[in-house]
Amino acid sequence: KQEVTQIPAALSVPEGENLVLNCSFTDSAIYNLQWFRQDPGKGLTSLLLIQSSQREQTSGRLNASLDKSSGRSTLYIAASQPGDSATYLCAVEGGSEKLVFGKGTKLTVNP
Amino acid sequence: EAGVAQSPRYKIIEKRQSVAFWCNPISGHATLYWYQQILGQGPKLLIQFQNNGVVDDSQLPKDRFSAERLKGVDSTLKIQPAKLEDSAVYLCASSNGQGTFYEQYFGPGTRLTVT
């Protein structure tokens, strides 16, 4: 059974700092990995999707990497802003074609 | 394009009562998902529809939860009777197909509190 773990559970940083969020998964037989953002009272917004054959994806200040063999992914956020404050969720899709989510990392960026 | 719509946004009921949630997916999206997100947890898939057929309901507590998707468009999720542990946010998502290359788009969710 696939399990996804995200560390840390919460993170507070000053504005402008670069930061890394971590995600690990137990079964390396995945099709893809996605990073989502969730704002309070709102649904999930997909940030980046990495196919199993890819090593990384970039979108603006966000960069996600995938090391399938070690079961790890990182989300790098450059020059953080208060508007980046949200919960970030990692999810993997495996043979069941079902997304399995981690519990998320709650990020607070202080002005 | 309009996003995934859900209603109601909030619902408070007493245990043993019944409740229903409604979801309208993005127009043309054949695949629809219902997730349960308990506070502090990631979303867990309850049921997946492809058009109006069920693809996966392995994690749906079928003794109290039911879902339908009539005409392959809107969907309703029902809980009867509700338990305290059903307090959660219920998220609906839709995608343009089934499989690894189709991004899921999520609605705002319905927050259920069972007292």
Side-chain angles (χ1 to χ4, degrees):
Chain A
K1 178 185 173 186
Q2 179 73 270
E3 293 184 1
V4 179
T5 302
Q6 292 189 244
I7 295 174
L11 182 63
S12 181
V13 301
E15 181 177 3
E17 191 163 297
N18 302 325
L19 58 101
V20 174
L21 307 181
N22 296 291
C23 171
S24 62
F25 46 96
T26 54
D27 186 351
S28 62
I30 64 169
Y31 289 144
N32 63 55
L33 182 144
Q34 279 187 269
W35 283 93
F36 291 87
R37 169 183 173 140
Q38 186 170 32
D39 293 280
K42 297 186 179 180
L44 279 65
T45 302
S46 179
L47 298 173
L48 291 165
L49 184 152
I50 310 176
Q51 300 290 350
S52 62
S53 58
Q54 298 174 322
R55 296 283 294 181
E56 65 177 333
Q57 282 285 342
T58 298
S59 176
R61 294 182 293 109
L62 306 179
N63 176 274
S65 68
L66 173 63
D67 184 343
K68 205 173 77 161
S69 61
S70 67
R72 295 180 182 178
S73 175
T74 61
L75 178 66
Y76 175 82
I77 302 177
S80 59
Q81 303 171 356
D84 295 330
S85 297
T87 295
Y88 291 80
L89 293 158
C90 168
V92 297
E93 182 172 2
S96 65
E97 297 183 349
K98 183 164 59 181
L99 282 177
V100 178
F101 285 83
K103 294 182 179 181
T105 294
K106 184 176 182 180
L107 173 65
T108 303
V109 181
N110 302 300
Chain B
E1 111 188 313
V4 177
Q6 291 188 247
S7 67
R9 293 295 312 278
Y10 306 92
K11 189 74 176 178
I12 301 174
I13 61 172
E14 296 182 351
K15 59 184 179 183
R16 292 186 289 273
Q17 287 186 323
S18 62
V19 64
F21 313 127
W22 173 82
C23 172
N24 180 240
I26 292 173
S27 177
H29 279 194
T31 310
L32 186 146
Y33 312 79
W34 283 103
Y35 290 86
Q36 179 192 58
Q37 185 176 22
I38 294 172
L39 185 65
Q41 305 285 322
K44 180 183 81 172
L45 179 69
L46 292 177
I47 189 167
Q48 176 183 343
F49 292 95
Q50 178 72 14
N51 295 309
N52 59 352
V54 176
V55 174
D56 184 345
D57 63 356
S58 58
Q59 300 190 102
L60 185 74
K62 298 181 185 65
D63 57 333
R64 297 184 300 105
F65 286 64
S66 65
E68 62 181 6
R69 189 182 185 197
L70 299 176
K71 300 181 181 179
V73 182
D74 294 3
S75 176
T76 56
L77 176 70
K78 297 179 182 178
I79 307 175
Q80 181 179 2
K83 292 185 175 181
L84 295 177
E85 58 261 37
D86 298 332
S87 295
V89 175
Y90 291 84
L91 296 164
C92 179
S94 69
S95 68
N96 201 20
Q98 180 183 337
T100 65
F101 299 106
Y102 297 100
E103 182 177 348
Q104 294 185 30
Y105 295 84
F106 284 79
T110 296
R111 181 176 297 276
L112 173 67
T113 302
V114 182
T115 64

